[in-house]
Amino acid sequence: MVDDTWSSALHRLWQAASRAEEVAALADDVYAPLLATPGVHLVVGTRWDGKHVLRYMRALSAGSDTPVIVATTRSMPGAAVREPGGEPVVTRSAVDGMDDSMWPEAEFLRQAPGASVVACTFRLDQRGWAALALAVDGTADLSVVENRLTQAVDVIVACHTGILQRGREARRASDDALLAEASLQMDSSLDVEDTLRRVARIAVPAVADGALVHLLRSEGPEFVAATHVAVQQQRALEEAGRHDPWLAALLARRGEDEDTVFLSGAALEGSPFAEAGGTDGGANGSAGGSAGGGADGSADGGANATAAGARPAGDGPHPTVVSISTLRARGRVVGSITFVYQRPEARLPDSAFLRSLATRAALAIDNALLYELRRTAVLSLQEHLLPSQLPESVQWDLSASYAVGDPMLDVGGDFYDAVPRPDGSIALLIGDVCGRGAEAAALTGLARHTLRTLLEEGNDPGTALSRLNRALRQERASRFLTAVVATLTPRPDGTALLSTCSAGHPPPLVLRSDGTVSEVLSGGLLLGVLDDVSYESHEELIAPDDTLVLFTDGLTESREAGGAFFESVLPARLSALRGSGAAHIAESLAQQAETFRDSGQDDIALLVARWTGIPPDAGLLPRDPRIEQAALR
């Protein structure tokens, strides 16, 4: 015969279990139907941890709506004999024969009518177990009681398993989201130290309470970044990261170790972390694990689970646990990340998560290191492709500016130079090789040094460009280039003869002392395309305080969001700089073009020559900053 009352209660219990976020929510649905079983007078539930410490006890008697709840941390070694193995264990015993050292429930069971107890002990997870004990009298059908008790236990265990599974899934989703965000944050910077600081900031407080990051240098670990949820502790953490010998020795000793190591308790003695959490808990080299669980319908779902020997949540600070993960990329160690935890064991990250975070951090750091090396190499090569200094004279004020536009830092093909000539004149040259990279750099060096040599020997600009073109054709250069050469030859009246010859390059501009701007007439085929090309020069006079501006197309082709090119505003911007020295003009125009630019990644090279014609102690014409600012509006 089917017991409809119990079947309905069991159905409701399963429904409640599917919705429960903690096992404690099942207490009423478990205790009430068991008490409704004929002959049952009292239900007592207990929750134990793996060290036979009683954590929780809940008792409810028939006819009462108010349970007695006892939260404790009572150690009861005698209860070890009751701890179940893999399957639930049902026992029958007389109340009078119960040993209080094994049965804390006895104090309640003795107060209930009846002379016997039906109990079931069952394991919830690897770290804890629970028990349900029923006080029954002689009218009870013990087989029915046992059947209902085991069915209720099945629901509790299934509920607890489901809660743990959902917790693991939520934790995994949270970890995945954190790892994805960490990758985005770390990959957004190519600066090594900034990347390392981001690693530390991302991890706190989501992963740990504190974090230390070290970079591995040839002389040993080098502290880079530290962060902590508490400002005062962050300062202490930074000091430890820089100077603590215990930590330095530990990081150096770990060397090539790949696995994350957890340290706590005695393993932290002598360390800067020992005083923060004491040495009363932890696993001495291995801590961490999954979220804790509930119990008999009365536990808290793991909120109070801690490392061995630790105090429950909310009962003072937790023992300090430290983890150290090696940062490895491309088969080599690039550094280490040390996490400091002062939280329950259930909230410690597992080794797999820390390995994944360390791998992502190592790759980001390695990319930043590679970028730094590449940047250093590129800038060094770029410096060797440009003159280390420009010639000085009382008759001209020379300056240049070079702005790298490519974020990937390939070597650009822009070049410039200023060459004093035997006849007292000066030759100014600027050019642009098509493309970027090693091939463009090689061609840049060839072009600049060829032109410099020819101009130093006294060749006129047209002849120098023709001979460079011939050399490029003979070398079968795969790239073309543009260039312009201008010579300034002093005249007795203080003016200078400007002779300009261009090979497909943007025409130079002349800023007159009165602020007017004119374009130097120039033309000619670009270099390296056809054989036997000749180039003609254009001549005009330059007066004292006039300024010649040579530039590459990276300046004029800087494009704003609306589509306009900097070329359209360049004359007005240059005019506003009248009265300025060559250095200010060069730097200002380069900076303005970079600010103006919304698209385009070409390098910007400028070579500026202000002709004085007189000794420099005569001074510059008065500069009016208001005119310059008005042109920027």
Side-chain angles (χ1 to χ4, degrees):
M1 179 176 178
V2 178
D3 186 343
D4 292 335
T5 302
W6 173 254
S7 296
S8 298
L10 190 62
H11 178 68
R12 290 193 298 272
L13 182 57
W14 277 110
Q15 287 183 318
S18 66
R19 298 188 301 268
E21 295 183 0
E22 57 180 22
V23 179
L26 294 180
D28 292 339
D29 294 291
V30 171
Y31 283 42
L34 288 176
L35 285 171
T37 304
V40 176
H41 296 277
L42 179 72
V43 180
V44 184
T46 53
R47 172 70 167 95
W48 305 77
D49 70 10
K51 299 297 182 182
H52 316 303
V53 175
L54 177 64
R55 292 291 184 180
Y56 188 91
M57 188 158 55
R58 187 181 196 273
L60 182 65
S61 59
S64 175
D65 295 329
T66 304
V68 176
I69 299 175
V70 178
T72 182
T73 55
R74 191 193 315 173
S75 178
M76 301 185 68
V81 298
R82 297 178 58 196
E83 183 175 351
E87 298 295 328
V89 177
V90 178
T91 60
R92 299 178 187 178
S93 58
V95 173
D96 293 340
M98 286 184 170
D99 184 345
D100 286 4
S101 66
M102 298 168 50
W103 291 85
E105 305 99 313
E107 62 178 291
F108 294 103
L109 293 170
R110 292 192 184 103
Q111 300 173 17
S116 61
V117 175
V118 179
C120 180
T121 56
F122 52 96
R123 182 159 293 283
L124 289 170
D125 51 48
Q126 293 180 347
R127 297 183 303 162
W129 55 283
L132 277 176
L134 310 181
V136 299
D137 62 22
T139 66
D141 185 338
L142 295 183
S143 63
V144 171
V145 172
E146 288 183 2
N147 184 56
R148 292 187 178 185
L149 182 58
T150 55
Q151 288 179 336
V153 166
D154 287 342
V155 178
I156 293 172
V157 172
C159 178
H160 181 76
T161 302
I163 290 172
L164 289 182
Q165 180 63 31
R166 290 192 294 275
R168 284 191 292 268
E169 291 174 354
R171 180 74 170 267
R172 190 178 301 113
S174 176
D175 287 349
D176 290 345
L178 178 62
L179 290 172
E181 177 64 20
S183 294
L184 289 175
Q185 290 291 328
M186 291 185 292
D187 291 344
S188 64
S189 174
L190 287 174
D191 179 82
V192 176
E193 293 194 4
D194 183 57
T195 298
L196 289 163
R197 284 190 291 268
R198 287 169 183 259
V199 172
R201 288 196 299 266
I202 288 167
V204 176
V207 176
D209 299 280
L212 279 162
V213 184
H214 288 78
L215 192 64
L216 183 62
R217 299 293 192 185
S218 57
E219 59 275 14
E222 175 189 327
F223 168 77
V224 177
T227 187
H228 197 283
V229 291
V231 175
Q232 293 297 328
Q233 293 193 49
Q234 176 167 332
R235 296 193 184 103
L237 206 58
E238 291 174 351
E239 182 67 17
R242 288 190 177 94
H243 305 299
D244 186 75
W246 182 93
L247 182 60
L250 176 63
L251 295 179
R253 190 166 62 246
R254 280 190 51 75
E256 299 292 321
D257 290 350
E258 295 186 12
D259 292 336
T260 295
V261 62
F262 286 86
L263 304 172
S264 59
L268 294 179
E269 290 182 2
S271 78
F273 314 108
E275 293 183 3
T279 59
D280 61 339
N284 273 356
S286 61
S290 61
D296 58 313
S298 58
D300 59 359
N304 288 343
T306 64
R311 290 171 286 273
D315 187 24
H318 294 276
T320 298
V321 178
V322 174
S323 71
I324 302 174
S325 299
T326 301
L327 303 179
R328 178 184 295 274
R330 294 189 300 117
R332 65 188 183 91
V333 176
V334 298
S336 64
I337 182 165
T338 303
F339 289 131
V340 181
Y341 313 91
Q342 290 169 297
R343 56 184 62 185
E345 182 185 354
R347 291 180 55 203
L348 297 180
D350 57 35
S351 296
F353 171 80
L354 292 178
R355 280 196 302 270
S356 183
L357 180 61
T359 297
R360 294 166 190 247
L363 290 174
I365 293 168
D366 188 57
N367 285 337
L369 287 170
L370 290 174
Y371 181 84
E372 184 180 72
L373 290 173
R374 181 178 181 180
R375 180 176 182 272
T376 301
V378 166
L379 293 179
S380 176
L381 178 57
Q382 197 83 63
E383 288 177 359
H384 284 82
L385 295 176
L386 300 173
S388 57
Q389 61 182 16
L390 296 174
E392 298 180 359
S393 170
V394 296
Q395 294 183 302
W396 58 69
D397 173 21
L398 286 179
S399 187
S401 177
Y402 195 105
V404 177
D406 180 22
M408 296 307 294
L409 281 179
D410 271 331
V411 183
D414 292 14
F415 63 92
Y416 61 82
D417 208 344
V419 184
R421 288 154 58 84
D423 61 358
S425 65
I426 185 172
L428 308 176
L429 61 99
I430 194 166
D432 186 3
V433 176
C434 173
R436 313 184 67 87
E439 187 177 359
L443 195 57
T444 298
L446 171 65
R448 179 191 157 219
H449 290 291
T450 299
L451 286 177
R452 180 180 181 86
T453 300
L454 292 171
L455 293 168
E456 281 179 332
E457 293 175 349
N459 289 282
D460 62 85
T463 300
L465 288 174
S466 296
R467 292 182 61 178
L468 173 60
N469 182 74
R470 189 180 310 124
L472 294 174
R473 296 296 294 168
Q474 290 173 350
E475 292 291 330
R476 298 186 178 182
S478 60
R479 299 170 184 259
F480 62 83
L481 64 110
T482 66
V484 63
V485 178
T487 58
L488 291 172
T489 304
R491 290 163 49 93
D493 60 359
T495 63
L497 177 64
L498 171 63
S499 179
T500 308
C501 192
S502 176
H505 199 81
L509 297 178
V510 175
L511 170 62
R512 303 293 179 178
S513 58
D514 61 0
T516 59
V517 176
S518 61
E519 187 177 273
V520 177
L521 296 178
S522 60
L525 189 67
L526 46 81
L527 300 161
V529 178
L530 298 176
D531 297 327
D532 301 326
V533 179
S534 60
Y535 296 91
E536 297 182 358
S537 297
H538 168 77
E539 294 183 349
E540 59 182 279
L541 291 179
I542 295 292
D545 296 317
D546 288 349
T547 303
L548 177 66
V549 180
L550 295 85
F551 49 86
T552 56
D553 58 9
L555 179 76
T556 54
E557 293 180 2
S558 294
R559 191 171 187 174
E560 67 171 357
F565 290 96
F566 191 71
E567 182 180 22
S568 62
V569 300
L570 177 57
R573 299 286 181 93
L574 179 57
S575 177
L577 294 169
R578 61 184 175 273
S580 300
H584 180 72
I585 293 176
E587 293 299 328
S588 179
L589 289 179
Q591 185 177 27
Q592 290 181 44
E594 289 187 282
T595 304
F596 182 90
R597 177 164 56 192
D598 182 71
S599 62
Q601 297 181 343
D602 202 1
D603 292 359
I604 297 174
L606 287 120
L607 180 60
V608 178
R610 174 182 165 274
W611 183 257
T612 63
I614 51 177
D617 54 10
L620 298 174
L621 290 179
R623 172 185 165 200
D624 190 345
R626 293 173 299 175
I627 300 176
E628 180 179 344
Q629 292 299 319
L632 296 175
R633 296 192 185 101

